[in-house]
Amino acid sequence: MKNRFYFYLSGFFGNFYFERGIWILYLLHLKFSLYEIGILQAILNITMTVFELPSGIISDYLRRRKTLFLGHLFIILYMLIFVFSQDFWFLALGHVIYGIGLSLISGTEESYLYESYEKEGKVESYGKGIGIYVACVTAALALSMGLGGYLQLISWHLIFYMGIFMHLLSLIFIFSLEDVDIYEKSSKQSIKSILNDSYNVLRENTTLIYLIFALAIFSSIISVYYMYGQKLLFNLQIDIKEVGLIFSIISLLQVVISLVSSRISDKYNQKDTIFFILFIILIFYLVSLINNTYVVLLAFIVINTLYALFEPITSVLFNNEVKTNIRATLLSVINLATSLIMAIIFPLIGFLGEYIDLNIVLVIVGMSSLMVCFFCLFVYFKRKQPNSIVESNSSIDIS
């Protein structure tokens, strides 16, 4: 329990990104075009696409604590580059480093938390645990994005200095963690066995691929919508500091939703809840086409808030499907697909946004992605065997 408390604190301090709600506006302040900003984001996503699978293998090989520590070191380096340079190519390098850091962290966090419950024989409590963790992460984002809009009035660089300080605090708590080793000491797996087991799982259980793609397409398009929301709100004549506050409010709402997600998942049918969330998001995409500032703002808030409900519920669904020895690797497959989709979509929307109303572009892309997501999840649930768990061919014993 004490170990998880340190883990929650590391996640809290490790998610203070004061630039998160206004980074596009910062780059516009540096006179970059929306298309150039799209290229930088594409560089980030391509990096994550390349490093997601290796990072999952690294996490399964080195274990979770070392991987998290390394990931946050890369994040600090990225912030240092933004402090000392405004050159496009240096910022591009910063995005590469940022992508490596995010890849190392993503998947590793979920794996660590799930395995901490698995070691105690309390896997059924993971839904509550991931809800608390997402709440901690989202609370940090809420605070940092709310403050970021005001810190930029003092100095844009102050935003990154504060981020570096918070990530250093996160490293202290990560260093205090104990790795959740549920393997026998003598049975540490090789990188080759991790790859073989992951390949065999996906080959033998093609139904899982539909779930992976559904989660990837949903996460990628919602993330693009969320990030371009800075420009969308700015186009509605909303001030920069108010944009930061709006993103902070969204994060606070996400905190509440994350905390109640396990209760909702326990009370209602998991499949029906997931489809209901997607349906409500689809409705609000349509609502946002109404040319009214408050309506567009409401739709933006609702869509992004519901993501905080969708994420922990589907996290429970996916983690219950896979065995521990390849969990981080398979989570990285999802993140790899997510990054690849974002690498394609983000600059495309930036290009189209120069000629077509940005809101219309975002709605069309969002609704199209939901249709694909609906289809993939429908196939997954139809083919899924009740209470099935993906078995690995690994000979590793789970204690």
Side-chain angles (χ1 to χ4, degrees), residues 61-187:
Y61 183 72
L62 291 181
R63 308 308 298 141
R64 315 309 183 199
R65 185 171 69 94
K66 291 179 182 177
T67 307
L68 287 174
F69 196 90
L70 188 60
H72 284 282
L73 284 179
F74 275 95
I75 300 296
I76 291 171
L77 183 55
Y78 141 75
M79 291 181 176
L80 284 171
I81 289 176
F82 265 69
V83 168
F84 294 108
S85 178
Q86 297 181 359
D87 177 76
F88 179 86
W89 294 110
F90 272 107
L91 296 184
L93 174 62
H95 277 74
V96 171
I97 293 171
Y98 187 30
I100 295 172
L102 291 176
S103 297
L104 289 168
I105 295 169
S106 66
T108 302
E109 296 170 309
E110 284 185 49
S111 298
Y112 184 93
L113 184 60
Y114 190 91
E115 288 158 18
S116 73
Y117 282 106
E118 189 173 17
K119 185 176 183 180
E120 297 174 9
K122 298 178 179 178
V123 172
E124 69 281 356
S125 298
Y126 171 72
K128 180 180 179 181
I130 190 64
I132 293 172
Y133 184 72
V134 171
C136 290
V137 167
T138 312
L141 289 171
L143 288 170
S144 58
M145 289 190 294
L147 290 171
Y150 288 90
L151 289 176
Q152 61 85 25
L153 296 175
I154 302 172
S155 168
W156 282 102
H157 286 171
L158 182 59
I159 292 173
F160 297 103
Y161 281 124
M162 290 294 293
I164 291 169
F165 175 72
M166 291 300 184
H167 279 268
L168 287 172
L169 289 178
S170 178
L171 289 180
I172 294 174
F173 288 107
I174 291 172
F175 188 77
S176 302
L177 290 174
E178 296 177 4
D179 255 325
V180 186
D181 290 319
I182 63 176
Y183 305 112
E184 297 292 338
K185 295 293 184 181
S186 61
S187 58

Side-chain angles (χ1 to χ4, degrees), residues 273-306:
T273 303
I274 290 172
F275 281 119
F276 181 73
I277 293 169
L278 294 177
F279 177 73
I280 296 299
I281 290 176
L282 179 63
I283 294 298
F284 274 93
Y285 267 129
L286 289 170
V287 167
S288 67
L289 289 173
I290 299 173
N291 190 22
N292 179 279
T293 298
Y294 297 106
V295 171
V296 174
L297 179 58
L298 175 64
F300 183 75
I301 291 173
V302 171
I303 290 171
N304 284 289
T305 299
L306 286 176

Side-chain angles (χ1 to χ4, degrees), residues 45-72:
N45 293 126
I46 290 171
T47 302
M48 293 180 70
T49 300
V50 173
F51 281 93
E52 273 298 348
L53 189 56
S55 70
I57 296 170
I58 289 171
S59 179
D60 284 330
Y61 183 72
L62 291 181
R63 308 308 298 141
R64 315 309 183 199
R65 185 171 69 94
K66 291 179 182 177
T67 307
L68 287 174
F69 196 90
L70 188 60
H72 284 282

Side-chain angles (χ1 to χ4, degrees), residues 19-48:
E19 81 283 5
R20 180 68 63 88
I22 54 176
W23 73 273
I24 287 181
L25 302 181
Y26 172 61
L27 293 176
L28 289 172
H29 168 75
L30 297 181
K31 307 304 181 184
F32 290 116
S33 68
L34 202 59
Y35 178 66
E36 288 174 316
I37 294 170
I39 294 297
L40 288 175
Q41 179 65 33
I43 290 172
L44 170 65
N45 293 126
I46 290 171
T47 302
M48 293 180 70

Side-chain angles (χ1 to χ4, degrees), residues 258-277:
S258 298
L259 289 173
V260 302
S261 63
S262 62
R263 296 182 183 180
I264 294 173
S265 182
D266 292 339
K267 186 174 182 179
Y268 301 101
N269 179 277
Q270 195 177 51
K271 180 178 71 172
D272 292 343
T273 303
I274 290 172
F275 281 119
F276 181 73
I277 293 169

Side-chain angles (χ1 to χ4, degrees), residues 34 80 90 99 114 124 142 190 211 229 231 295 338 365 374 397:
L34 202 59
L80 284 171
F90 272 107
Y114 190 91
E124 69 281 356
S190 67
L211 177 61
K231 177 61 175 173
V295 171
T338 300
V365 172
F374 268 118
D397 295 325

